Amino acid sequence: MSFLWGVMGGPSAGPQPSGAETIQKLCDRVASSTLLDDRRDAVRALKSLSKKYRLEVGTQAMEHLIHVLQTDRSDSEIIGYALDTLYNVISNDLEEEEQDDSEEENLTKVDDLGSQFTEIFIKQHENVTLLLTLVEEFDFHVRWPGVKLLTSLLKQQGPQVQQIILVSPMGVSRLMDLLADSREVIRNDGVLLLQQLTKSNAAIQKIVAFENAFERLLDIVTEEGNSDGGIVVEDCLLLLQNLLKNNNSNQNFFKEGSYIQRMKPWFEVGDDNCGWSAQKVTNLHLMLQLVRVLVSPTNPPGATSSCQKAVFHCGLLQQLCTILMATGVPADILTETINTVSEVIRGCQMNQDYFASVNAPSNPPRPAIVVLLMSMVNERQPFVLRCAVLYCFQCFLYKNQKGQGEIVSTLLPSTIDATGNSVSAGQLLCGGLFSTDSLSNWCAAVALAHALQENATLKEQLLRVQLATSIGNPPVSLLQQCTNILSQGDKIDRRGSKVQTRVGLLMLLCTWLSNCSIAVTHFLHNPANIPFLTGQIAENLGEEEQLVQGLCALLLGISIYYNDNSLENYRKEKLKQLIEKRIGRENFIEKLGFISKHELYSRAAQKPQPGFSSPEHMMFDHEFTKLVKELEGVISKAIYKSSEEDKKEEEVKKTLEQHDNIVTQYKKVIREQDQELEELKQRITTLMSQNEQLQATVTQQVSQIQQHKDQYNLLKVQLGKDTQHHNSHGDMFQMNGIQTEEVSKLKEELEEWKNKHELLQGQIREKDFLIEKLKSSQLEIGTTELSSQSSRSGGLDHSNELQKELEMLRSQLQLQSAEISQLLIENQKLQVMNTTADPVLGDSGAIVAKSSELEGQLEQQIKELKSEVKALSEEKESLKQHLDSSSSTVAILQDEKIKLQQEVAESKKEQDDLLVLLADQDQKLSALKIKLKDLGVPVEDEDDIESGDQGDEDEDVEEEEQD
């Protein structure tokens, strides 16, 4: 124990052992001691020495410490000491007391040691798997050191450790449980561990995302207070960036999980924006970067577009615009907010329209675009902020012809505000274009070029813009003023790089003239422009001016390629001859190549956002680099083409234009048809809705009619009861002269119906008699005709059907006779009532009132009788139709009977002919037999009998076949 006392700092006598010797003894104690307490004390001592003697402990004790982790898992204390010791050995975090003047040398040594020890540890993959199982332990003294050690391993040898964790069973899922730990220390270190784990590994990023990482991390950010939270919020945001950056699958999962909506509370900034803490600025900066990751232009277009729409629909874009227009926001947050808004609206028409409608909270209110452009052309604003505003303006105009038209319209004479009360975007751009600050010139030129990008109509309209240069002088066109400033060059005193102004103007002119023959004609109409360009290209200037020479060559090439030969002095062929004489074709192509070979050109071509470290590097725009790529090869070919090739090319262009016109016409027709289809669809929907309403009203009316019918039936029953009551009391006074006439009419109708009934019965008897005759004839035919059984059975079936129809008619006639008998009874009653009512007509007034009521009831009954008469007449018509149909069927049956009789006669004739033939054959056979006998040929009787039998059989067969 004296040895341990010496290690732990207790009193000891004699010479002190060195650190390496002490560590060796401790390692022996860990390896050989059987008591757990001794091993625990030795590991504790190694832990205390591991920071000071890192190399010795790492080289001698690592194997023993790993063995302890494998064998002594039941004791959490020794496991914790072993993990802490390994962490001290592998980690590169230096204590402050160890730092001295030679800090850089120490750092390099430490890095080497940490990576070497990590490589030794992970050489056996089982060690990392063992560490993952220890991290699962809930004990704080085991889990926390395990998390720290695994984080240090990932820092030292990230890809190797990631691969081991990825192939281990449930490796990533075990680490995801750290986010759910109730102890904040372990949870926060778990976030740091996942940061290292998800770096540059898309497979692990996907697993972590699908293990519900987004939900847990956003919950942590909310619990910590969103942007007002501490460093934990920063760590969570960094982890979210790792999961989403350049990972389309996770971005799609984040959007579909409605997590973008949960980002809105992050950007709720109050009115009092004073005193932002450094941590809040960092957090908000990372939150804005996270939004930019989702809507980055480098993402697939479909994913970016869907995220942009989600940002708008959840109100996040509105929140960002609020920060943009707020006061007291730090400059770096404002800059990053502008960049974020830029990428949220880039290429999304809905978001661009909303941004155009945003106004700054000023008096009078101004559009946000105007306020931002004021900052861009103001040389007192920070350079980074001006670049952000330019990027925002470019994104606002990207694929936004409506926005381009609005910007250019502020420059046109018809829309300029004559009062001068408000400053428009066009006025700010012109002011920046012609100011004495070179950076403002460049930004305004690039912004105006974006307003003309891929829009030939606006390029033509911008030619109408006139500028008043000075009092008394006539106005000058914008194109002319740009060329004037370009030609003056070094004569104007400017702040900043003079080359920058010329480069900006040349980029504007190249964009303006490309794909616009009218603008080229206007440019060539000024006689000073071509000599200036040729002079610039032909001179031998320094490196800075080479860029200007290349752009002048590009502008001259555009003037040739898009020339429509409308000016005689500046036709394509003459301009090519001019280049050949003054510059030389090879020299011209060489100068043209200066643009794409420039370093700043390659930087600008990488991404849309202008990322310039200083104003001097601000030379090229991203969209302009695309134009140079497109035109460089085309212009080079155009310079070497002959006049005949130009003519052929013009013809091809004309045919292409004709085809384009035809296509546009078809497109118009298709659009019109689409509009008509939409209108028809709307009409169909309206008609369907009206139909549904009408059906609903019809059903209501049907139900109402049914209700009225039920009420009518009830009233009818009640009236019937009243009439019975009056009849029982002998109140039969309702008959008058009019009613007797109606009764007489009814009698006549009844007699007519009786006569008709008798006639119908006579006709039916005649039909019955005919049918009986047909039956008897068919039965006679059926005994003699075997071959026509199928046709006769059909006739019998038909006669059966006729019998059924006749029975139906008889039943209907019986019903009608019953109704007629009822009507006769009612008629007799009415006659009795008529005879009895005459002597009582002179009674009192009360009886008269009752009689009037009974008259109304009798009128109703008369109406009902009339309706019944109508029904009887209809039935009569139907009976006539039935009789006609039965007569037609009788005629058909008679025709069939005649046909059958003809067939029977024909069959009898055929049988007679066959009998005659058989008799002839018998005679011939007998004659032949006699001849054979005369010749001496024996003829047996059996053969005769067989032949006779065979002949009989043949005759029977032939008769059957004929039948």
Side-chain angles (χ1 to χ4, degrees), residues 746-747 750-751 754 817-831:
L746 286 171
K747 284 180 182 179
L750 285 171
E751 288 175 358
K754 283 180 183 179
S817 62
E819 288 178 359
I820 289 165
S821 62
Q822 287 179 0
L823 289 170
L824 287 169
I825 292 164
E826 288 179 1
N827 188 12
Q828 291 174 359
K829 286 182 181 180
L830 289 170
Q831 286 176 356

Side-chain angles (χ1 to χ4, degrees), residues 326-466:
T327 55
V329 179
D332 52 349
I333 294 296
L334 183 60
T335 303
E336 191 63 25
T337 305
I338 294 170
N339 288 327
T340 306
V341 171
S342 305
E343 293 183 353
V344 169
I345 67 173
R346 188 176 190 268
C348 182
Q349 188 67 49
M350 178 173 59
N351 293 0
Q352 289 167 340
D353 292 342
Y354 171 77
F355 184 69
S357 66
V358 175
N359 288 322
S362 59
N363 192 15
R366 290 176 176 172
I369 298 170
V370 173
V371 175
L372 291 173
L373 287 176
M374 290 171 72
S375 301
M376 186 185 74
V377 297
N378 186 358
E379 55 187 302
R380 295 178 183 177
Q381 294 294 338
F383 170 68
V384 181
L385 180 64
R386 296 174 77 180
C387 289
V389 173
L390 176 63
Y391 183 47
C392 184
F393 191 73
Q394 291 173 352
C395 291
F396 170 67
L397 296 178
Y398 182 71
K399 293 183 179 179
N400 183 11
Q401 292 189 354
K402 180 182 175 184
Q404 288 175 327
E406 289 173 355
I407 296 297
V408 172
S409 66
T410 58
L411 287 165
L412 299 177
S414 58
T415 56
I416 294 174
D417 187 6
T419 60
N421 293 330
S422 62
V423 181
S424 66
Q427 291 172 343
L428 288 170
L429 290 176
C430 283
L433 194 63
F434 306 127
S435 72
T436 55
D437 178 33
S438 61
L439 188 60
S440 298
N441 299 153
W442 191 91
C443 291
V446 170
L448 198 55
H450 275 264
L452 303 174
Q453 200 80 34
E454 298 179 358
N455 199 325
T457 307
L458 294 181
K459 290 177 183 178
E460 295 176 9
Q461 288 185 4
L462 201 64
L463 296 170
R464 296 164 46 204
V465 176
Q466 300 289 322

Side-chain angles (χ1 to χ4, degrees), residues 776-789 792 897 900-905 907-908 911 959 962-963:
S776 60
S777 63
Q778 285 173 357
L779 289 170
E780 290 174 358
I781 293 164
T783 56
T784 58
E785 298 172 353
L786 294 171
S787 61
S788 59
Q789 288 178 355
R792 283 202 298 259
K897 176 185 173 184
L900 289 170
Q901 287 174 353
Q902 291 175 357
E903 288 176 359
V904 169
S907 63
K908 285 181 180 179
Q911 286 177 0
E959 286 177 1
Q962 289 172 1
D963 293 335

Side-chain angles (χ1 to χ4, degrees), residues 783-810:
T783 56
T784 58
E785 298 172 353
L786 294 171
S787 61
S788 59
Q789 288 178 355
S790 59
S791 62
R792 283 202 298 259
S793 63
L796 288 171
D797 293 335
H798 196 62
S799 64
N800 290 329
E801 290 178 0
L802 286 171
Q803 279 185 348
K804 290 178 182 178
E805 289 180 358
L806 284 170
E807 288 176 359
M808 291 279 290
L809 291 170
R810 285 173 184 170

Side-chain angles (χ1 to χ4, degrees), residues 51 53 148 178 193 206 291 330 384 507 534 545 575 577 620 642 681 708 790 806 912 938:
K51 290 183 180 179
Y53 300 100
K148 291 195 295 181
L178 297 172
L193 169 61
K206 289 178 184 177
V291 177
V384 181
M507 285 196 297
T534 53
E545 296 293 332
L575 291 174
Q577 292 173 1
F620 285 108
S642 62
K681 285 178 181 178
H708 290 310
S790 59
L806 284 170
D912 293 336

